[in-house]
PDB file of all heavy atoms in Angstrom:
ATOM      1  N   PHE A1372      90.142  74.552  97.234  1.00 97.00           N
ATOM      2  CA  PHE A1372      90.875  73.309  97.540  1.00 97.00           C
ATOM      3  C   PHE A1372      91.579  72.808  96.277  1.00 97.00           C
ATOM      4  O   PHE A1372      92.769  72.487  96.300  1.00 97.00           O
ATOM      5  CB  PHE A1372      89.936  72.210  98.045  1.00 97.00           C
ATOM      6  CG  PHE A1372      89.227  72.542  99.346  1.00 97.00           C
ATOM      7  CD1 PHE A1372      87.969  72.022  99.621  1.00 97.00           C
ATOM      8  CD2 PHE A1372      89.824  73.342 100.294  1.00 97.00           C
ATOM      9  CE1 PHE A1372      87.317  72.314 100.808  1.00 97.00           C
ATOM     10  CE2 PHE A1372      89.172  73.641 101.492  1.00 97.00           C
ATOM     11  CZ  PHE A1372      87.921  73.120 101.747  1.00 97.00           C
ATOM     12  N   GLU A1373      90.831  72.750  95.187  1.00 96.00           N
ATOM     13  CA  GLU A1373      91.407  72.235  93.935  1.00 96.00           C
ATOM     14  C   GLU A1373      92.609  73.076  93.507  1.00 96.00           C
ATOM     15  O   GLU A1373      93.663  72.555  93.156  1.00 96.00           O
ATOM     16  CB  GLU A1373      90.365  72.278  92.819  1.00 96.00           C
ATOM     17  CG  GLU A1373      89.442  71.070  92.840  1.00 96.00           C
ATOM     18  CD  GLU A1373      88.365  71.170  91.762  1.00 96.00           C
ATOM     19  OE1 GLU A1373      88.523  71.922  90.770  1.00 96.00           O
ATOM     20  OE2 GLU A1373      87.352  70.490  91.944  1.00 96.00           O
ATOM     21  N   GLY A1376      95.674  72.487  95.515  1.00 93.00           N
ATOM     22  CA  GLY A1376      96.164  71.106  95.494  1.00 93.00           C
ATOM     23  C   GLY A1376      95.844  70.340  96.766  1.00 93.00           C
ATOM     24  O   GLY A1376      96.629  69.499  97.213  1.00 93.00           O
ATOM     25  N   ILE A1377      94.691  70.647  97.372  1.00 91.00           N
ATOM     26  CA  ILE A1377      94.330  69.980  98.628  1.00 91.00           C
ATOM     27  C   ILE A1377      93.586  68.682  98.341  1.00 91.00           C
ATOM     28  O   ILE A1377      92.672  68.637  97.517  1.00 91.00           O
ATOM     29  CB  ILE A1377      93.532  70.954  99.508  1.00 91.00           C
ATOM     30  CG1 ILE A1377      94.519  72.019  99.974  1.00 91.00           C
ATOM     31  CG2 ILE A1377      92.883  70.256 100.693  1.00 91.00           C
ATOM     32  CD1 ILE A1377      93.931  73.151 100.701  1.00 91.00           C
ATOM     33  N   THR A1378      93.977  67.650  99.061  1.00 77.00           N
ATOM     34  CA  THR A1378      93.538  66.308  98.702  1.00 77.00           C
ATOM     35  C   THR A1378      92.245  65.893  99.401  1.00 77.00           C
ATOM     36  O   THR A1378      91.847  66.490 100.396  1.00 77.00           O
ATOM     37  CB  THR A1378      94.613  65.292  99.101  1.00 77.00           C
ATOM     38  OG1 THR A1378      94.815  65.445 100.501  1.00 77.00           O
ATOM     39  CG2 THR A1378      95.909  65.531  98.372  1.00 77.00           C
ATOM     40  N   ALA A1379      91.642  64.836  98.910  1.00 63.00           N
ATOM     41  CA  ALA A1379      90.374  64.312  99.441  1.00 63.00           C
ATOM     42  C   ALA A1379      90.475  63.978 100.922  1.00 63.00           C
ATOM     43  O   ALA A1379      89.515  64.128 101.671  1.00 63.00           O
ATOM     44  CB  ALA A1379      89.965  63.082  98.651  1.00 63.00           C
ATOM     45  N   LYS A1380      91.649  63.573 101.373  1.00 64.00           N
ATOM     46  CA  LYS A1380      91.852  63.197 102.766  1.00 64.00           C
ATOM     47  C   LYS A1380      91.403  64.333 103.714  1.00 64.00           C
ATOM     48  O   LYS A1380      90.801  64.114 104.752  1.00 64.00           O
ATOM     49  CB  LYS A1380      93.346  62.920 102.958  1.00 64.00           C
ATOM     50  CG  LYS A1380      93.768  62.543 104.337  1.00 64.00           C
ATOM     51  CD  LYS A1380      95.263  62.270 104.324  1.00 64.00           C
ATOM     52  CE  LYS A1380      95.930  63.048 105.426  1.00 64.00           C
ATOM     53  NZ  LYS A1380      97.363  63.102 105.295  1.00 64.00           N
ATOM     54  N   HIS A1381      91.701  65.561 103.340  1.00 60.00           N
ATOM     55  CA  HIS A1381      91.348  66.691 104.193  1.00 60.00           C
ATOM     56  C   HIS A1381      89.885  67.047 104.092  1.00 60.00           C
ATOM     57  O   HIS A1381      89.302  67.558 105.030  1.00 60.00           O
ATOM     58  CB  HIS A1381      92.184  67.907 103.809  1.00 60.00           C
ATOM     59  CG  HIS A1381      93.620  67.683 104.093  1.00 60.00           C
ATOM     60  ND1 HIS A1381      94.509  67.342 103.126  1.00 60.00           N
ATOM     61  CD2 HIS A1381      94.275  67.672 105.264  1.00 60.00           C
ATOM     62  CE1 HIS A1381      95.678  67.161 103.683  1.00 60.00           C
ATOM     63  NE2 HIS A1381      95.565  67.339 104.975  1.00 60.00           N
ATOM     64  N   LEU A1382      89.301  66.784 102.937  1.00 64.00           N
ATOM     65  CA  LEU A1382      87.923  67.220 102.733  1.00 64.00           C
ATOM     66  C   LEU A1382      86.952  66.421 103.581  1.00 64.00           C
ATOM     67  O   LEU A1382      85.872  66.897 103.906  1.00 64.00           O
ATOM     68  CB  LEU A1382      87.545  67.115 101.252  1.00 64.00           C
ATOM     69  CG  LEU A1382      88.498  67.845 100.316  1.00 64.00           C
ATOM     70  CD1 LEU A1382      88.006  67.777  98.886  1.00 64.00           C
ATOM     71  CD2 LEU A1382      88.640  69.307 100.731  1.00 64.00           C
ATOM     72  N   THR A1383      87.311  65.209 103.960  1.00 54.00           N
ATOM     73  CA  THR A1383      86.401  64.384 104.752  1.00 54.00           C
ATOM     74  C   THR A1383      86.484  64.724 106.239  1.00 54.00           C
ATOM     75  O   THR A1383      85.585  64.421 106.995  1.00 54.00           O
ATOM     76  CB  THR A1383      86.735  62.892 104.583  1.00 54.00           C
ATOM     77  OG1 THR A1383      88.122  62.743 104.834  1.00 54.00           O
ATOM     78  CG2 THR A1383      86.402  62.405 103.193  1.00 54.00           C
ATOM     79  N   ALA A1384      87.558  65.397 106.652  1.00 52.00           N
ATOM     80  CA  ALA A1384      87.717  65.720 108.080  1.00 52.00           C
ATOM     81  C   ALA A1384      86.858  66.920 108.440  1.00 52.00           C
ATOM     82  O   ALA A1384      86.829  67.899 107.713  1.00 52.00           O
ATOM     83  CB  ALA A1384      89.173  66.029 108.362  1.00 52.00           C
ATOM     84  N   THR A1385      86.121  66.816 109.561  1.00 55.00           N
ATOM     85  CA  THR A1385      85.283  67.936 109.984  1.00 55.00           C
ATOM     86  C   THR A1385      86.050  68.806 110.970  1.00 55.00           C
ATOM     87  O   THR A1385      86.493  68.318 112.000  1.00 55.00           O
ATOM     88  CB  THR A1385      84.018  67.413 110.705  1.00 55.00           C
ATOM     89  OG1 THR A1385      83.471  66.402 109.896  1.00 55.00           O
ATOM     90  CG2 THR A1385      83.011  68.519 110.913  1.00 55.00           C
ATOM     91  N   THR A1428      90.451  73.705 106.884  1.00 94.00           N
ATOM     92  CA  THR A1428      90.876  72.585 106.030  1.00 94.00           C
ATOM     93  C   THR A1428      92.154  72.948 105.262  1.00 94.00           C
ATOM     94  O   THR A1428      93.100  72.157 105.182  1.00 94.00           O
ATOM     95  CB  THR A1428      89.747  72.217 105.037  1.00 94.00           C
ATOM     96  OG1 THR A1428      88.602  71.869 105.799  1.00 94.00           O
ATOM     97  CG2 THR A1428      90.138  71.078 104.134  1.00 94.00           C
ATOM     98  N   ARG A1431      95.107  72.940 107.675  1.00 91.00           N
ATOM     99  CA  ARG A1431      95.575  71.590 108.023  1.00 91.00           C
ATOM    100  C   ARG A1431      96.478  71.059 106.914  1.00 91.00           C
ATOM    101  O   ARG A1431      97.531  70.487 107.164  1.00 91.00           O
ATOM    102  CB  ARG A1431      94.364  70.679 108.222  1.00 91.00           C
ATOM    103  CG  ARG A1431      94.736  69.275 108.658  1.00 91.00           C
ATOM    104  CD  ARG A1431      93.509  68.411 108.852  1.00 91.00           C
ATOM    105  NE  ARG A1431      92.616  68.947 109.850  1.00 91.00           N
ATOM    106  CZ  ARG A1431      91.332  69.226 109.655  1.00 91.00           C
ATOM    107  NH1 ARG A1431      90.787  69.028 108.492  1.00 91.00           N
ATOM    108  NH2 ARG A1431      90.585  69.706 110.618  1.00 91.00           N
ATOM    109  N   SER A1432      96.046  71.263 105.680  1.00 92.00           N
ATOM    110  CA  SER A1432      96.820  70.720 104.570  1.00 92.00           C
ATOM    111  C   SER A1432      98.167  71.428 104.418  1.00 92.00           C
ATOM    112  O   SER A1432      99.213  70.785 104.285  1.00 92.00           O
ATOM    113  CB  SER A1432      96.014  70.852 103.279  1.00 92.00           C
ATOM    114  OG  SER A1432      96.840  70.579 102.187  1.00 92.00           O
ATOM    115  N   ASP A1436     100.540  68.844 106.354  1.00 83.00           N
ATOM    116  CA  ASP A1436     100.974  67.908 105.310  1.00 83.00           C
ATOM    117  C   ASP A1436     102.095  68.460 104.452  1.00 83.00           C
ATOM    118  O   ASP A1436     103.042  67.773 104.131  1.00 83.00           O
ATOM    119  CB  ASP A1436      99.810  67.539 104.401  1.00 83.00           C
ATOM    120  CG  ASP A1436      98.867  66.618 105.124  1.00 83.00           C
ATOM    121  OD1 ASP A1436      99.178  66.252 106.257  1.00 83.00           O
ATOM    122  OD2 ASP A1436      97.826  66.279 104.545  1.00 83.00           O
TER     123      ASP A1436
END
Side-chain angles (χ1 to χ4, degrees):
F1372 297 150
E1373 277 177 21
I1377 290 173
T1378 58
K1380 179 178 129 194
H1381 294 101
L1382 306 184
T1383 51
T1385 312
T1428 301
R1431 183 180 300 124
S1432 169
D1436 287 356

